[in-house]
Amino acid sequence: MKVIIGDRSKISSLIADIVIEQVNAKPNSVLGFATGTSPLEVYACMAKAHQEGRVSFKSVISFNLDEYIGLNGKHIQSYRYYMDDNLFNHIDIDKKNTYVPKGVGHYKAYASKYDEKIASYGGIDLQILGIGSDGHIAFNEPGTSFDSLTHVTDLMEMTIKDNARLFKDIREVPTKAITMGIKSIMNARRIVLIATGKSKAQAIYNLINGPITEEVPCSILRRHPNCTIYVDDEAYSLVKEERLLNGKGI
Ligand code: GLP
């Protein structure tokens, strides 16, 4: 696992460049997208690159990591809405090739077919990931099996509290979600994770230095053959502190 340190704009544009390179090399790439505030600048850079004619997404297939249960795609807090609003409406991707797990209707049946659907396109070439302050990836909370595929899950109190900042009231935050599993994520051929800000420092410390355990879902990424973590100074601060204390330098 590689670690790259830079400010938010720098690491966002580096990740966008990786996506652009991937799509230019393989126009029908299968991309895995994350939501949350972390990848917003990455998506803005991708949209800009498209508008400047540096990349076309017209043959790309995309799969999103997760969705809240109970929110349909028209709900402003749904991840489908987020993706349309922050990326898909600004690039030439064919929306029928964009898969975001369904959080309404027969979502359990949908979950059980999601990994097959990904496999039917040959698997994910490049997965973008964020991270929760409790170390969750997608909505795989601490304790989730490393063998998990797409499933429906309860959200932890910490995640509900963290995500409440995006809702008017904490009582509006859904308590369940449909999420790709840890195994579904690990199946991606290449993973790039972005984390910025102090609130991610402990999770990044655990990811880099802690034990590999289901109690810290992100820790499994250390076993991935092609995973790079992009962090800013604040997110890296606890790792840096320890390295300096041990005389190892940054
Ligand atoms: C949610 C999402 C995750 C995301 C996390 C962090 O829980 N399901 O995929 O990584 O939030 O969000 P943010 O980037 O806003 O800190």
Side-chain angles (χ1 to χ4, degrees):
M1 190 176 78
K2 274 202 297 191
V3 181
I4 309 281
I5 308 160
D7 66 30
R8 187 183 164 98
S9 308
K10 179 73 194 164
I11 56 180
S12 298
S13 82
L14 287 174
I15 294 175
D17 287 347
I18 291 168
V19 177
I20 293 161
E21 219 174 275
Q22 167 71 40
V23 174
N24 283 335
K26 182 185 172 196
N28 63 344
S29 288
V30 181
L31 302 180
F33 290 134
T35 52
T37 48
S38 305
L40 282 173
E41 271 191 63
V42 176
Y43 297 149
C45 292
M46 286 164 59
K48 186 162 178 276
H50 168 66
Q51 280 141 26
E52 291 169 354
R54 289 192 281 127
V55 64
S56 167
F57 295 90
K58 72 176 183 333
S59 305
V60 161
I61 313 293
S62 76
F63 285 90
N64 260 77
L65 289 168
D66 46 16
E67 179 61 282
Y68 288 116
I69 297 298
L71 304 191
N72 69 38
K74 295 204 168 65
H75 192 290
I76 194 167
Q77 296 301 348
S78 73
Y79 288 165
R80 160 54 73 183
Y81 188 97
Y82 167 108
M83 289 309 300
D84 287 348
D85 198 36
N86 291 299
L87 184 64
F88 299 153
N89 290 347
H90 310 288
I91 58 176
D92 60 345
I93 199 165
D94 185 342
K95 283 222 189 134
K96 71 174 182 337
N97 292 333
T98 65
Y99 295 92
V100 179
K102 281 195 200 317
V104 291
H106 300 293
Y107 55 81
K108 281 192 184 144
Y110 189 88
S112 68
K113 299 254 160 62
Y114 203 62
D115 291 271
E116 274 169 42
K117 193 81 190 167
I118 296 171
S120 75
Y121 286 105
I124 292 174
D125 291 302
L126 174 62
Q127 175 69 55
I128 296 176
L129 276 188
I131 190 168
S133 59
D134 63 359
H136 73 246
I137 46 177
F139 268 132
N140 293 288
E141 297 281 24
T144 307
S145 164
F146 283 160
D147 288 326
S148 54
L149 294 172
T150 304
H151 61 286
V152 175
T153 185
D154 290 319
L155 301 181
M156 305 279 266
E157 214 179 308
M158 189 163 173
T159 301
I160 293 174
K161 276 191 191 142
D162 283 353
N163 292 357
R165 71 190 194 282
L166 305 167
F167 289 77
K168 273 197 237 109
D169 191 296
I170 192 163
R171 284 167 299 188
E172 286 177 16
V173 185
T175 55
K176 282 182 185 292
I178 170 170
T179 180
M180 268 166 63
I182 303 276
K183 195 171 178 185
S184 330
I185 294 170
M186 289 294 282
N187 281 340
R189 283 184 275 284
R190 182 175 185 183
I191 297 177
V192 291
L193 181 146
I194 178 164
T196 59
K198 199 101 206 147
S199 65
K200 303 295 169 71
Q202 188 63 53
I204 292 299
Y205 179 88
N206 292 343
L207 163 56
I208 295 175
N209 285 339
I212 298 178
T213 161
E214 289 178 349
E215 286 316 307
V216 183
C218 61
S219 63
I220 189 71
L221 295 173
R222 294 224 300 277
R223 295 214 178 116
H224 193 280
N226 190 352
C227 175
T228 306
I229 309 297
Y230 291 79
V231 285
D232 70 355
D233 275 331
E234 287 189 340
Y236 192 66
S237 57
L238 293 179
V239 180
K240 186 169 161 183
E241 220 168 83
E242 191 186 81
R243 291 187 68 87
L244 290 175
L245 270 178
N246 294 334
K248 285 189 185 159
I250 305 169

